[in-house]
PDB file of all heavy atoms in Angstrom:
ATOM      1  N   ALA A 324     -25.295 -22.310  53.916  1.00 63.00           N
ATOM      2  CA  ALA A 324     -24.909 -23.717  53.833  1.00 63.00           C
ATOM      3  C   ALA A 324     -23.405 -23.753  53.611  1.00 63.00           C
ATOM      4  O   ALA A 324     -22.943 -23.543  52.507  1.00 63.00           O
ATOM      5  CB  ALA A 324     -25.637 -24.403  52.692  1.00 63.00           C
ATOM      6  N   ILE A 325     -22.635 -23.965  54.663  1.00 74.00           N
ATOM      7  CA  ILE A 325     -21.180 -23.940  54.584  1.00 74.00           C
ATOM      8  C   ILE A 325     -20.690 -25.381  54.539  1.00 74.00           C
ATOM      9  O   ILE A 325     -20.708 -26.086  55.546  1.00 74.00           O
ATOM     10  CB  ILE A 325     -20.566 -23.197  55.786  1.00 74.00           C
ATOM     11  CG1 ILE A 325     -21.151 -21.795  55.902  1.00 74.00           C
ATOM     12  CG2 ILE A 325     -19.054 -23.148  55.658  1.00 74.00           C
ATOM     13  CD1 ILE A 325     -20.960 -20.934  54.683  1.00 74.00           C
ATOM     14  N   ALA A 326     -20.273 -25.815  53.369  1.00 73.00           N
ATOM     15  CA  ALA A 326     -19.846 -27.202  53.189  1.00 73.00           C
ATOM     16  C   ALA A 326     -18.331 -27.342  53.171  1.00 73.00           C
ATOM     17  O   ALA A 326     -17.820 -28.407  53.476  1.00 73.00           O
ATOM     18  CB  ALA A 326     -20.427 -27.756  51.894  1.00 73.00           C
ATOM     19  N   ASN A 327     -17.603 -26.269  52.797  1.00 83.00           N
ATOM     20  CA  ASN A 327     -16.152 -26.395  52.683  1.00 83.00           C
ATOM     21  C   ASN A 327     -15.482 -25.039  52.904  1.00 83.00           C
ATOM     22  O   ASN A 327     -16.153 -24.035  53.148  1.00 83.00           O
ATOM     23  CB  ASN A 327     -15.770 -26.976  51.323  1.00 83.00           C
ATOM     24  CG  ASN A 327     -16.324 -26.176  50.165  1.00 83.00           C
ATOM     25  OD1 ASN A 327     -16.425 -24.956  50.249  1.00 83.00           O
ATOM     26  ND2 ASN A 327     -16.694 -26.853  49.094  1.00 83.00           N
ATOM     27  N   ALA A 328     -14.172 -25.017  52.797  1.00 86.00           N
ATOM     28  CA  ALA A 328     -13.407 -23.794  53.057  1.00 86.00           C
ATOM     29  C   ALA A 328     -13.727 -22.691  52.048  1.00 86.00           C
ATOM     30  O   ALA A 328     -13.770 -21.505  52.408  1.00 86.00           O
ATOM     31  CB  ALA A 328     -11.910 -24.100  53.046  1.00 86.00           C
ATOM     32  N   ASP A 329     -13.978 -23.055  50.793  1.00 87.00           N
ATOM     33  CA  ASP A 329     -14.315 -22.036  49.791  1.00 87.00           C
ATOM     34  C   ASP A 329     -15.625 -21.346  50.126  1.00 87.00           C
ATOM     35  O   ASP A 329     -15.749 -20.125  50.005  1.00 87.00           O
ATOM     36  CB  ASP A 329     -14.408 -22.667  48.398  1.00 87.00           C
ATOM     37  CG  ASP A 329     -13.051 -23.002  47.820  1.00 87.00           C
ATOM     38  OD1 ASP A 329     -12.050 -22.413  48.273  1.00 87.00           O
ATOM     39  OD2 ASP A 329     -12.998 -23.847  46.904  1.00 87.00           O
ATOM     40  N   ASP A 330     -16.630 -22.129  50.554  1.00 87.00           N
ATOM     41  CA  ASP A 330     -17.914 -21.538  50.938  1.00 87.00           C
ATOM     42  C   ASP A 330     -17.747 -20.617  52.139  1.00 87.00           C
ATOM     43  O   ASP A 330     -18.340 -19.532  52.209  1.00 87.00           O
ATOM     44  CB  ASP A 330     -18.933 -22.628  51.264  1.00 87.00           C
ATOM     45  CG  ASP A 330     -19.358 -23.429  50.038  1.00 87.00           C
ATOM     46  OD1 ASP A 330     -19.114 -22.949  48.907  1.00 87.00           O
ATOM     47  OD2 ASP A 330     -19.948 -24.510  50.217  1.00 87.00           O
ATOM     48  N   ALA A 331     -16.925 -21.035  53.099  1.00 88.00           N
ATOM     49  CA  ALA A 331     -16.681 -20.209  54.284  1.00 88.00           C
ATOM     50  C   ALA A 331     -15.981 -18.908  53.892  1.00 88.00           C
ATOM     51  O   ALA A 331     -16.336 -17.824  54.375  1.00 88.00           O
ATOM     52  CB  ALA A 331     -15.845 -20.980  55.298  1.00 88.00           C
ATOM     53  N   ALA A 332     -14.974 -18.993  53.007  1.00 90.00           N
ATOM     54  CA  ALA A 332     -14.255 -17.787  52.568  1.00 90.00           C
ATOM     55  C   ALA A 332     -15.200 -16.847  51.825  1.00 90.00           C
ATOM     56  O   ALA A 332     -15.173 -15.629  52.036  1.00 90.00           O
ATOM     57  CB  ALA A 332     -13.077 -18.171  51.691  1.00 90.00           C
ATOM     58  N   ASP A 333     -16.054 -17.389  50.956  1.00 89.00           N
ATOM     59  CA  ASP A 333     -17.004 -16.547  50.217  1.00 89.00           C
ATOM     60  C   ASP A 333     -17.986 -15.860  51.149  1.00 89.00           C
ATOM     61  O   ASP A 333     -18.260 -14.652  51.027  1.00 89.00           O
ATOM     62  CB  ASP A 333     -17.768 -17.385  49.189  1.00 89.00           C
ATOM     63  CG  ASP A 333     -16.910 -17.819  48.022  1.00 89.00           C
ATOM     64  OD1 ASP A 333     -15.831 -17.225  47.829  1.00 89.00           O
ATOM     65  OD2 ASP A 333     -17.322 -18.751  47.305  1.00 89.00           O
ATOM     66  N   ALA A 334     -18.543 -16.616  52.105  1.00 90.00           N
ATOM     67  CA  ALA A 334     -19.514 -16.042  53.034  1.00 90.00           C
ATOM     68  C   ALA A 334     -18.870 -14.956  53.891  1.00 90.00           C
ATOM     69  O   ALA A 334     -19.445 -13.872  54.096  1.00 90.00           O
ATOM     70  CB  ALA A 334     -20.109 -17.135  53.906  1.00 90.00           C
ATOM     71  N   CYS A 335     -17.662 -15.213  54.393  1.00 92.00           N
ATOM     72  CA  CYS A 335     -16.987 -14.223  55.239  1.00 92.00           C
ATOM     73  C   CYS A 335     -16.535 -13.003  54.435  1.00 92.00           C
ATOM     74  O   CYS A 335     -16.575 -11.878  54.935  1.00 92.00           O
ATOM     75  CB  CYS A 335     -15.806 -14.862  55.964  1.00 92.00           C
ATOM     76  SG  CYS A 335     -16.338 -15.844  57.382  1.00 92.00           S
ATOM     77  N   ALA A 336     -16.108 -13.206  53.194  1.00 92.00           N
ATOM     78  CA  ALA A 336     -15.719 -12.060  52.366  1.00 92.00           C
ATOM     79  C   ALA A 336     -16.926 -11.166  52.114  1.00 92.00           C
ATOM     80  O   ALA A 336     -16.833  -9.934  52.188  1.00 92.00           O
ATOM     81  CB  ALA A 336     -15.129 -12.543  51.044  1.00 92.00           C
ATOM     82  N   ILE A 355      -7.766 -12.880  51.276  1.00 92.00           N
ATOM     83  CA  ILE A 355      -8.158 -13.864  52.288  1.00 92.00           C
ATOM     84  C   ILE A 355      -6.870 -14.603  52.632  1.00 92.00           C
ATOM     85  O   ILE A 355      -6.289 -15.276  51.787  1.00 92.00           O
ATOM     86  CB  ILE A 355      -9.226 -14.835  51.754  1.00 92.00           C
ATOM     87  CG1 ILE A 355     -10.494 -14.091  51.335  1.00 92.00           C
ATOM     88  CG2 ILE A 355      -9.525 -15.922  52.778  1.00 92.00           C
ATOM     89  CD1 ILE A 355     -11.252 -13.445  52.473  1.00 92.00           C
ATOM     90  N   ASP A 356      -6.413 -14.427  53.884  1.00 93.00           N
ATOM     91  CA  ASP A 356      -5.114 -14.976  54.272  1.00 93.00           C
ATOM     92  C   ASP A 356      -5.195 -16.411  54.774  1.00 93.00           C
ATOM     93  O   ASP A 356      -4.302 -17.207  54.503  1.00 93.00           O
ATOM     94  CB  ASP A 356      -4.485 -14.086  55.349  1.00 93.00           C
ATOM     95  CG  ASP A 356      -4.247 -12.675  54.831  1.00 93.00           C
ATOM     96  OD1 ASP A 356      -3.888 -12.531  53.647  1.00 93.00           O
ATOM     97  OD2 ASP A 356      -4.418 -11.723  55.615  1.00 93.00           O
ATOM     98  N   ALA A 357      -6.250 -16.750  55.514  1.00 91.00           N
ATOM     99  CA  ALA A 357      -6.337 -18.096  56.072  1.00 91.00           C
ATOM    100  C   ALA A 357      -7.793 -18.480  56.279  1.00 91.00           C
ATOM    101  O   ALA A 357      -8.625 -17.642  56.647  1.00 91.00           O
ATOM    102  CB  ALA A 357      -5.601 -18.170  57.405  1.00 91.00           C
ATOM    103  N   VAL A 358      -8.089 -19.743  56.049  1.00 91.00           N
ATOM    104  CA  VAL A 358      -9.397 -20.326  56.332  1.00 91.00           C
ATOM    105  C   VAL A 358      -9.122 -21.589  57.136  1.00 91.00           C
ATOM    106  O   VAL A 358      -8.563 -22.556  56.620  1.00 91.00           O
ATOM    107  CB  VAL A 358     -10.171 -20.667  55.035  1.00 91.00           C
ATOM    108  CG1 VAL A 358     -11.518 -21.255  55.365  1.00 91.00           C
ATOM    109  CG2 VAL A 358     -10.312 -19.440  54.155  1.00 91.00           C
ATOM    110  N   ASP A 359      -9.490 -21.542  58.426  1.00 90.00           N
ATOM    111  CA  ASP A 359      -9.176 -22.653  59.329  1.00 90.00           C
ATOM    112  C   ASP A 359     -10.460 -23.263  59.872  1.00 90.00           C
ATOM    113  O   ASP A 359     -11.374 -22.535  60.285  1.00 90.00           O
ATOM    114  CB  ASP A 359      -8.328 -22.159  60.506  1.00 90.00           C
ATOM    115  CG  ASP A 359      -7.013 -21.537  60.047  1.00 90.00           C
ATOM    116  OD1 ASP A 359      -6.394 -22.118  59.130  1.00 90.00           O
ATOM    117  OD2 ASP A 359      -6.628 -20.495  60.590  1.00 90.00           O
ATOM    118  N   PRO A 360     -10.524 -24.598  59.912  1.00 89.00           N
ATOM    119  CA  PRO A 360     -11.687 -25.233  60.532  1.00 89.00           C
ATOM    120  C   PRO A 360     -11.606 -25.113  62.058  1.00 89.00           C
ATOM    121  O   PRO A 360     -10.539 -25.226  62.656  1.00 89.00           O
ATOM    122  CB  PRO A 360     -11.595 -26.691  60.082  1.00 89.00           C
ATOM    123  CG  PRO A 360     -10.162 -26.905  59.755  1.00 89.00           C
ATOM    124  CD  PRO A 360      -9.602 -25.579  59.335  1.00 89.00           C
ATOM    125  N   VAL A 361     -12.723 -24.800  62.669  1.00 88.00           N
ATOM    126  CA  VAL A 361     -12.836 -24.771  64.133  1.00 88.00           C
ATOM    127  C   VAL A 361     -14.032 -25.648  64.499  1.00 88.00           C
ATOM    128  O   VAL A 361     -14.780 -26.072  63.623  1.00 88.00           O
ATOM    129  CB  VAL A 361     -12.996 -23.326  64.669  1.00 88.00           C
ATOM    130  CG1 VAL A 361     -11.747 -22.521  64.422  1.00 88.00           C
ATOM    131  CG2 VAL A 361     -14.192 -22.643  64.081  1.00 88.00           C
ATOM    132  N   GLY A 364     -17.497 -25.147  62.720  1.00 87.00           N
ATOM    133  CA  GLY A 364     -17.543 -24.078  61.737  1.00 87.00           C
ATOM    134  C   GLY A 364     -16.172 -23.733  61.184  1.00 87.00           C
ATOM    135  O   GLY A 364     -15.282 -24.580  61.098  1.00 87.00           O
ATOM    136  N   TRP A 365     -16.007 -22.439  60.841  1.00 89.00           N
ATOM    137  CA  TRP A 365     -14.772 -21.984  60.190  1.00 89.00           C
ATOM    138  C   TRP A 365     -14.344 -20.635  60.762  1.00 89.00           C
ATOM    139  O   TRP A 365     -15.162 -19.826  61.165  1.00 89.00           O
ATOM    140  CB  TRP A 365     -14.994 -21.819  58.680  1.00 89.00           C
ATOM    141  CG  TRP A 365     -15.367 -23.086  57.999  1.00 89.00           C
ATOM    142  CD1 TRP A 365     -16.623 -23.575  57.810  1.00 89.00           C
ATOM    143  CD2 TRP A 365     -14.480 -24.028  57.429  1.00 89.00           C
ATOM    144  NE1 TRP A 365     -16.581 -24.764  57.152  1.00 89.00           N
ATOM    145  CE2 TRP A 365     -15.261 -25.070  56.899  1.00 89.00           C
ATOM    146  CE3 TRP A 365     -13.108 -24.115  57.304  1.00 89.00           C
ATOM    147  CZ2 TRP A 365     -14.712 -26.163  56.259  1.00 89.00           C
ATOM    148  CZ3 TRP A 365     -12.558 -25.199  56.664  1.00 89.00           C
ATOM    149  CH2 TRP A 365     -13.349 -26.220  56.159  1.00 89.00           C
ATOM    150  N   SER A 366     -13.044 -20.409  60.724  1.00 92.00           N
ATOM    151  CA  SER A 366     -12.471 -19.120  61.092  1.00 92.00           C
ATOM    152  C   SER A 366     -11.705 -18.596  59.872  1.00 92.00           C
ATOM    153  O   SER A 366     -10.859 -19.302  59.320  1.00 92.00           O
ATOM    154  CB  SER A 366     -11.523 -19.269  62.280  1.00 92.00           C
ATOM    155  OG  SER A 366     -10.883 -18.036  62.534  1.00 92.00           O
ATOM    156  N   VAL A 367     -12.015 -17.371  59.473  1.00 93.00           N
ATOM    157  CA  VAL A 367     -11.417 -16.787  58.266  1.00 93.00           C
ATOM    158  C   VAL A 367     -10.709 -15.498  58.657  1.00 93.00           C
ATOM    159  O   VAL A 367     -11.256 -14.677  59.392  1.00 93.00           O
ATOM    160  CB  VAL A 367     -12.502 -16.502  57.196  1.00 93.00           C
ATOM    161  CG1 VAL A 367     -11.891 -15.856  55.971  1.00 93.00           C
ATOM    162  CG2 VAL A 367     -13.240 -17.775  56.826  1.00 93.00           C
ATOM    163  N   ARG A 368      -9.457 -15.339  58.155  1.00 94.00           N
ATOM    164  CA  ARG A 368      -8.699 -14.106  58.358  1.00 94.00           C
ATOM    165  C   ARG A 368      -8.353 -13.518  56.998  1.00 94.00           C
ATOM    166  O   ARG A 368      -8.033 -14.257  56.060  1.00 94.00           O
ATOM    167  CB  ARG A 368      -7.412 -14.370  59.132  1.00 94.00           C
ATOM    168  CG  ARG A 368      -7.636 -14.671  60.595  1.00 94.00           C
ATOM    169  CD  ARG A 368      -6.357 -15.003  61.242  1.00 94.00           C
ATOM    170  NE  ARG A 368      -5.793 -16.098  60.435  1.00 94.00           N
ATOM    171  CZ  ARG A 368      -4.686 -16.734  60.699  1.00 94.00           C
ATOM    172  NH1 ARG A 368      -3.968 -16.400  61.700  1.00 94.00           N
ATOM    173  NH2 ARG A 368      -4.262 -17.713  59.937  1.00 94.00           N
ATOM    174  N   CYS A 388     -13.265 -13.406  60.859  1.00 93.00           N
ATOM    175  CA  CYS A 388     -14.658 -13.790  60.686  1.00 93.00           C
ATOM    176  C   CYS A 388     -14.813 -15.214  61.190  1.00 93.00           C
ATOM    177  O   CYS A 388     -13.954 -16.063  60.970  1.00 93.00           O
ATOM    178  CB  CYS A 388     -15.031 -13.691  59.211  1.00 93.00           C
ATOM    179  SG  CYS A 388     -16.653 -14.362  58.810  1.00 93.00           S
ATOM    180  N   ILE A 390     -17.779 -18.392  61.338  1.00 89.00           N
ATOM    181  CA  ILE A 390     -19.064 -18.836  60.827  1.00 89.00           C
ATOM    182  C   ILE A 390     -19.247 -20.289  61.217  1.00 89.00           C
ATOM    183  O   ILE A 390     -18.305 -21.082  61.173  1.00 89.00           O
ATOM    184  CB  ILE A 390     -19.165 -18.639  59.299  1.00 89.00           C
ATOM    185  CG1 ILE A 390     -20.547 -18.978  58.811  1.00 89.00           C
ATOM    186  CG2 ILE A 390     -18.094 -19.403  58.569  1.00 89.00           C
ATOM    187  CD1 ILE A 390     -20.812 -18.525  57.390  1.00 89.00           C
TER     188      ILE A 390
END
Side-chain angles (χ1 to χ4, degrees):
I325 305 302
N327 56 35
D329 286 339
D330 291 343
D333 289 343
C335 282
I355 300 293
D356 299 323
V358 180
D359 301 318
V361 294
W365 298 89
S366 174
V367 178
R368 287 176 306 183
C388 172
I390 185 167

